[in-house]
């Protein structure tokens, strides 16, 4: 069902005036430095977190491999999200914070994606987080199939016509 009346512009940029999905034309947009930061969390048993921290997980260095997987995920975003433009990323950084002092042991992933171009990198940052968290799940599922991925969201984006945006501001 279209999100607007026929022959009226849609507030959603991936739909045309007739409500048909399309790839947004960014050809006339100015190339600017664009940055996006996203985050997410995977909750697990304390014993699973201890395996990750000790480096004794059966499949190896969980966070090191998850970092590489997140970077690769960002680079492959347009292969996974049909209407995303392939981007020449200038930087992808994936970082982890172990939260062992909380009631629910977890690993928080934060990903930063950057490019210079006519369209933003929010989807690349979000994909990096999801792929990194999925990789943690894959590497630790033998010890804990009940892990939960949660709180995936965009924290900040910079660049382009809309300028700077930050969650909660």
């Amino acid at each position: 069902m279209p999100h607007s009346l026929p022959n009226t512009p849609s507030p959603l940029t991936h739909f045309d005036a007739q409500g048909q999905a399309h790839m947004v034309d960014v050809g006339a947009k100015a190339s600017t430095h664009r940055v996006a930061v996203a985050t997410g969390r995977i909750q697990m048993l304390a014993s699973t977190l201890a395996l990750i921290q000790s480096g004794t997980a059966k499949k190896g260095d969980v966070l090191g491999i998850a970092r590489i997987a997140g970077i690769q995920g960002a680079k492959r975003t347009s292969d996974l999200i049909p209407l995303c433009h392939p981007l020449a990323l200038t930087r992808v950084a994936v970082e982890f914070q172990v939260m062992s002092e909380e009631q629910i042991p977890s690993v928080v992933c934060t990903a930063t994606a950057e490019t210079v171009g006519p369209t933003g990198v929010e989807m690349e940052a979000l994909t990096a987080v999801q792929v990194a968290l999925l990789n943690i799940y894959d590497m630790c599922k033998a010890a804990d199939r009940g892990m939960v991925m949660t709180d995936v969201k965009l924290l900040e984006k910079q660049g382009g016509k809309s300028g700077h945006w930050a969650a909660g501001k």
Side-chain angles (χ1 to χ4, degrees):
M1 186 79 171
H3 295 280
S4 63
L5 297 174
N7 299 318
T8 61
S10 171
L12 301 175
T13 58
H14 287 94
F15 293 95
D16 64 17
Q18 290 75 42
Q20 300 298 310
H22 70 102
M23 189 175 204
V24 175
D25 181 359
V26 297
K29 292 174 72 176
S31 287
T32 62
H33 180 235
R34 297 168 185 262
V35 180
V37 181
T39 190
R41 159 188 311 260
I42 186 165
Q43 300 170 343
M44 62 196 65
L45 297 172
S47 57
T48 305
L49 188 60
L51 284 173
I52 292 171
Q53 289 180 289
S54 69
T56 58
K58 193 173 185 178
K59 293 184 178 182
D61 177 11
V62 173
L63 298 183
I65 300 301
R67 178 175 293 106
I68 299 300
I71 292 168
Q72 185 169 346
K75 292 166 41 176
R76 301 291 304 266
T77 299
S78 66
D79 292 336
L80 301 170
I81 310 297
L83 300 179
C84 277
H85 292 84
L87 300 181
L89 295 169
T90 58
R91 176 175 174 256
V92 178
V94 177
E95 300 172 3
F96 299 102
Q97 182 179 5
V98 174
M99 309 298 278
S100 58
E101 304 301 318
E102 295 184 347
Q103 284 185 327
I104 302 174
S106 58
V107 175
V108 174
C109 175
T110 303
T112 303
E114 295 187 39
T115 193
V116 175
T119 189
V121 288
E122 297 96 294
M123 294 305 298
E124 286 71 14
L126 287 162
T127 301
V129 167
Q130 288 284 54
V131 171
L133 295 177
L134 284 167
N135 196 83
I136 292 170
Y137 186 94
D138 179 55
M139 292 186 75
C140 297
K141 68 184 178 223
D144 184 0
R145 293 198 188 272
M147 291 176 281
V148 175
M149 289 165 270
T150 186
D151 300 326
V152 176
K153 60 187 171 189
L154 183 68
L155 293 177
E156 183 177 11
K157 59 101 32 211
Q158 298 174 36
K161 187 171 74 172
S162 62
H164 184 251
W165 177 90
K169 291 184 183 180

